[in-house]
Amino acid sequence: MSLPVIHDNDGHVDDLLAALLLWLAPGVDLQAVTITAGDSYPDQSFSAFLKMATFLDLEGPEIAYSEDEVVNPFPDSWRSESRLVNGMPLFSEISLKSAYQQGPVRKSHSVISDCLSHTKEPITIVSTGPLTNVAKVFDDRPELKSKVKEFVIMGGAINVPGNVEQDNSDGSAEWNLYADPPAAKTIFDLNVPIKLVSLDVTNQLPFSKDFLERVQAQAETSRASRLAATLWSLVKSIQYYFWDTLTVACVIRPSLFEFKDVKVDVLTSGMSQGKTAGRLLGGRKVKFASTVDKDGFKELLLELLRSR
Ligand code: RIB
Ligand code: CA
């Protein structure tokens, strides 16, 4: 039995690779990949992801995107990376006529809504970007929360500082939740089970050139490894982490992780907007990943990439 999953992401390098890993994972039934206007220009990351699927001759999920701007947009210089990804020379061999998905493109929230409406089995929603489009689904149709098995969210900073350096932030929030705090609060308040892959655990896994070399070493016999190595090469010189690939690993191989219960709330205004604040009274219980088997995680990535 495969696990039905929807992946909502914001189209940066780690998001696109995370979606690819879910697609390659044998135990996952990836039903849709939806892109939000977070850390990319979604038309660019959408087009890049179609090219990735075409390059690897994959089939299955519907791909969608929405351009609705978030409350606190990511810096343009980060978002522009999506233009580089979409224009990668590796994709020059791909003809648009053979692109993975043809025809009209639907909005992210419509696709998520449709998947939930029609499913017989509750779906796991993995979110690795701002929760803007996911929240819209439940603002419009709150009853659909009964169709969600759990949310697995890359976001938050429980016992560590945040990673936002902006004039309207005191630095306590993590980018995905800071980008749209009301949307995050909507999802937290649904009281559907949540697993958080917060900075507490992603800080333990900076991206490394050693790992890139291991991916490159298998690129000759695996197109997915060639593609992944090309994508990771774009970020090898900046401070980058396995944020989103770690989050999907939490769905693909949860045994790699240890989780702890914590009661938290998302703050929606002021200098701490987007902060996942611990609460003794109030707030809600979530599970957050406290530790991960780092070597096991890297082996999993290499194993999935080698399969294509
Ligand atoms: O804070 C890290 C998160 O912000 C990651 O999901 C990254 O892709 C960006 O969305
Ligand atoms: Ca992301």
PDB file of all heavy atoms in Angstrom, residues 233-246:
ATOM      1  N   SER A 233      24.766  21.949  -7.550  1.00  0.00           N
ATOM      2  CA  SER A 233      25.951  22.752  -7.877  1.00  0.00           C
ATOM      3  C   SER A 233      25.627  24.248  -7.854  1.00  0.00           C
ATOM      4  O   SER A 233      26.481  25.079  -7.571  1.00  0.00           O
ATOM      5  CB  SER A 233      26.476  22.405  -9.273  1.00  0.00           C
ATOM      6  OG  SER A 233      26.947  21.092  -9.265  1.00  0.00           O
ATOM      7  N   LEU A 234      24.372  24.579  -8.155  1.00  0.00           N
ATOM      8  CA  LEU A 234      23.973  25.997  -8.171  1.00  0.00           C
ATOM      9  C   LEU A 234      24.045  26.627  -6.787  1.00  0.00           C
ATOM     10  O   LEU A 234      24.106  27.842  -6.661  1.00  0.00           O
ATOM     11  CB  LEU A 234      22.532  26.147  -8.710  1.00  0.00           C
ATOM     12  CG  LEU A 234      22.277  25.741 -10.156  1.00  0.00           C
ATOM     13  CD1 LEU A 234      20.787  25.820 -10.469  1.00  0.00           C
ATOM     14  CD2 LEU A 234      23.039  26.673 -11.095  1.00  0.00           C
ATOM     15  N   VAL A 235      23.965  25.807  -5.730  1.00  0.00           N
ATOM     16  CA  VAL A 235      23.915  26.375  -4.369  1.00  0.00           C
ATOM     17  C   VAL A 235      25.128  25.960  -3.522  1.00  0.00           C
ATOM     18  O   VAL A 235      25.146  26.192  -2.321  1.00  0.00           O
ATOM     19  CB  VAL A 235      22.600  25.961  -3.649  1.00  0.00           C
ATOM     20  CG1 VAL A 235      21.402  26.571  -4.341  1.00  0.00           C
ATOM     21  CG2 VAL A 235      22.453  24.442  -3.558  1.00  0.00           C
ATOM     22  N   LYS A 236      26.123  25.381  -4.188  1.00  0.00           N
ATOM     23  CA  LYS A 236      27.222  24.804  -3.400  1.00  0.00           C
ATOM     24  C   LYS A 236      28.082  25.866  -2.703  1.00  0.00           C
ATOM     25  O   LYS A 236      28.758  25.588  -1.737  1.00  0.00           O
ATOM     26  CB  LYS A 236      28.095  23.880  -4.258  1.00  0.00           C
ATOM     27  CG  LYS A 236      28.867  24.598  -5.333  1.00  0.00           C
ATOM     28  CD  LYS A 236      29.785  23.638  -6.072  1.00  0.00           C
ATOM     29  CE  LYS A 236      30.611  24.419  -7.062  1.00  0.00           C
ATOM     30  NZ  LYS A 236      30.684  23.958  -8.367  1.00  0.00           N
ATOM     31  N   SER A 237      28.006  27.106  -3.203  1.00  0.00           N
ATOM     32  CA  SER A 237      28.871  28.136  -2.604  1.00  0.00           C
ATOM     33  C   SER A 237      28.121  29.056  -1.646  1.00  0.00           C
ATOM     34  O   SER A 237      28.693  30.037  -1.166  1.00  0.00           O
ATOM     35  CB  SER A 237      29.509  28.966  -3.704  1.00  0.00           C
ATOM     36  OG  SER A 237      30.186  28.108  -4.577  1.00  0.00           O
ATOM     37  N   ILE A 238      26.851  28.793  -1.383  1.00  0.00           N
ATOM     38  CA  ILE A 238      26.131  29.618  -0.411  1.00  0.00           C
ATOM     39  C   ILE A 238      25.783  28.759   0.799  1.00  0.00           C
ATOM     40  O   ILE A 238      25.909  27.526   0.757  1.00  0.00           O
ATOM     41  CB  ILE A 238      24.843  30.246  -1.015  1.00  0.00           C
ATOM     42  CG1 ILE A 238      23.887  29.163  -1.542  1.00  0.00           C
ATOM     43  CG2 ILE A 238      25.183  31.219  -2.118  1.00  0.00           C
ATOM     44  CD1 ILE A 238      22.561  29.737  -2.042  1.00  0.00           C
ATOM     45  N   GLN A 239      25.349  29.432   1.879  1.00  0.00           N
ATOM     46  CA  GLN A 239      24.998  28.661   3.068  1.00  0.00           C
ATOM     47  C   GLN A 239      23.650  27.976   2.801  1.00  0.00           C
ATOM     48  O   GLN A 239      22.615  28.635   2.718  1.00  0.00           O
ATOM     49  CB  GLN A 239      24.889  29.591   4.266  1.00  0.00           C
ATOM     50  CG  GLN A 239      24.910  28.822   5.563  1.00  0.00           C
ATOM     51  CD  GLN A 239      24.833  29.750   6.759  1.00  0.00           C
ATOM     52  OE1 GLN A 239      24.211  30.809   6.709  1.00  0.00           O
ATOM     53  NE2 GLN A 239      25.463  29.346   7.847  1.00  0.00           N
ATOM     54  N   TYR A 240      23.687  26.692   2.624  1.00  0.00           N
ATOM     55  CA  TYR A 240      22.495  25.959   2.206  1.00  0.00           C
ATOM     56  C   TYR A 240      22.358  24.714   3.070  1.00  0.00           C
ATOM     57  O   TYR A 240      23.354  24.132   3.506  1.00  0.00           O
ATOM     58  CB  TYR A 240      22.633  25.565   0.723  1.00  0.00           C
ATOM     59  CG  TYR A 240      21.324  25.525  -0.030  1.00  0.00           C
ATOM     60  CD1 TYR A 240      20.648  26.695  -0.348  1.00  0.00           C
ATOM     61  CD2 TYR A 240      20.768  24.311  -0.426  1.00  0.00           C
ATOM     62  CE1 TYR A 240      19.444  26.664  -1.039  1.00  0.00           C
ATOM     63  CE2 TYR A 240      19.562  24.274  -1.130  1.00  0.00           C
ATOM     64  CZ  TYR A 240      18.910  25.455  -1.430  1.00  0.00           C
ATOM     65  OH  TYR A 240      17.720  25.419  -2.113  1.00  0.00           O
ATOM     66  N   TYR A 241      21.138  24.326   3.301  1.00  0.00           N
ATOM     67  CA  TYR A 241      20.890  23.162   4.163  1.00  0.00           C
ATOM     68  C   TYR A 241      19.994  22.179   3.422  1.00  0.00           C
ATOM     69  O   TYR A 241      19.343  22.513   2.451  1.00  0.00           O
ATOM     70  CB  TYR A 241      20.195  23.607   5.458  1.00  0.00           C
ATOM     71  CG  TYR A 241      21.107  24.394   6.374  1.00  0.00           C
ATOM     72  CD1 TYR A 241      21.272  25.766   6.190  1.00  0.00           C
ATOM     73  CD2 TYR A 241      21.822  23.766   7.387  1.00  0.00           C
ATOM     74  CE1 TYR A 241      22.123  26.493   7.011  1.00  0.00           C
ATOM     75  CE2 TYR A 241      22.668  24.485   8.217  1.00  0.00           C
ATOM     76  CZ  TYR A 241      22.820  25.843   8.021  1.00  0.00           C
ATOM     77  OH  TYR A 241      23.671  26.545   8.831  1.00  0.00           O
ATOM     78  N   PHE A 242      19.911  20.967   3.955  1.00  0.00           N
ATOM     79  CA  PHE A 242      18.965  19.974   3.435  1.00  0.00           C
ATOM     80  C   PHE A 242      17.606  20.237   4.109  1.00  0.00           C
ATOM     81  O   PHE A 242      17.091  19.385   4.822  1.00  0.00           O
ATOM     82  CB  PHE A 242      19.435  18.557   3.771  1.00  0.00           C
ATOM     83  CG  PHE A 242      20.665  18.102   3.024  1.00  0.00           C
ATOM     84  CD1 PHE A 242      21.907  18.126   3.625  1.00  0.00           C
ATOM     85  CD2 PHE A 242      20.570  17.632   1.718  1.00  0.00           C
ATOM     86  CE1 PHE A 242      23.039  17.680   2.954  1.00  0.00           C
ATOM     87  CE2 PHE A 242      21.701  17.179   1.033  1.00  0.00           C
ATOM     88  CZ  PHE A 242      22.940  17.214   1.659  1.00  0.00           C
ATOM     89  N   TRP A 243      17.031  21.431   3.901  1.00  0.00           N
ATOM     90  CA  TRP A 243      15.768  21.746   4.594  1.00  0.00           C
ATOM     91  C   TRP A 243      14.623  20.853   4.093  1.00  0.00           C
ATOM     92  O   TRP A 243      13.943  20.184   4.871  1.00  0.00           O
ATOM     93  CB  TRP A 243      15.356  23.194   4.319  1.00  0.00           C
ATOM     94  CG  TRP A 243      16.222  24.274   4.843  1.00  0.00           C
ATOM     95  CD1 TRP A 243      16.417  24.622   6.148  1.00  0.00           C
ATOM     96  CD2 TRP A 243      16.991  25.210   4.066  1.00  0.00           C
ATOM     97  NE1 TRP A 243      17.253  25.720   6.221  1.00  0.00           N
ATOM     98  CE2 TRP A 243      17.614  26.092   4.962  1.00  0.00           C
ATOM     99  CE3 TRP A 243      17.194  25.396   2.700  1.00  0.00           C
ATOM    100  CZ2 TRP A 243      18.438  27.149   4.543  1.00  0.00           C
ATOM    101  CZ3 TRP A 243      18.010  26.438   2.280  1.00  0.00           C
ATOM    102  CH2 TRP A 243      18.629  27.288   3.194  1.00  0.00           C
ATOM    103  N   ASP A 244      14.410  20.888   2.794  1.00  0.00           N
ATOM    104  CA  ASP A 244      13.188  20.297   2.245  1.00  0.00           C
ATOM    105  C   ASP A 244      13.369  18.818   1.906  1.00  0.00           C
ATOM    106  O   ASP A 244      12.416  18.025   2.023  1.00  0.00           O
ATOM    107  CB  ASP A 244      12.744  21.092   1.010  1.00  0.00           C
ATOM    108  CG  ASP A 244      12.497  22.558   1.374  1.00  0.00           C
ATOM    109  OD1 ASP A 244      12.339  22.846   2.577  1.00  0.00           O
ATOM    110  OD2 ASP A 244      12.478  23.405   0.467  1.00  0.00           O
ATOM    111  N   THR A 245      14.593  18.458   1.521  1.00  0.00           N
ATOM    112  CA  THR A 245      14.849  17.040   1.266  1.00  0.00           C
ATOM    113  C   THR A 245      14.752  16.264   2.581  1.00  0.00           C
ATOM    114  O   THR A 245      14.271  15.132   2.613  1.00  0.00           O
ATOM    115  CB  THR A 245      16.239  16.849   0.621  1.00  0.00           C
ATOM    116  OG1 THR A 245      17.188  17.663   1.314  1.00  0.00           O
ATOM    117  CG2 THR A 245      16.219  17.259  -0.837  1.00  0.00           C
ATOM    118  N   LEU A 246      15.150  16.914   3.670  1.00  0.00           N
ATOM    119  CA  LEU A 246      15.025  16.259   4.980  1.00  0.00           C
ATOM    120  C   LEU A 246      13.540  16.098   5.353  1.00  0.00           C
ATOM    121  O   LEU A 246      13.132  15.092   5.928  1.00  0.00           O
ATOM    122  CB  LEU A 246      15.747  17.098   6.036  1.00  0.00           C
ATOM    123  CG  LEU A 246      15.982  16.451   7.383  1.00  0.00           C
ATOM    124  CD1 LEU A 246      16.856  15.214   7.243  1.00  0.00           C
ATOM    125  CD2 LEU A 246      16.657  17.423   8.348  1.00  0.00           C
TER     126      LEU A 246
END
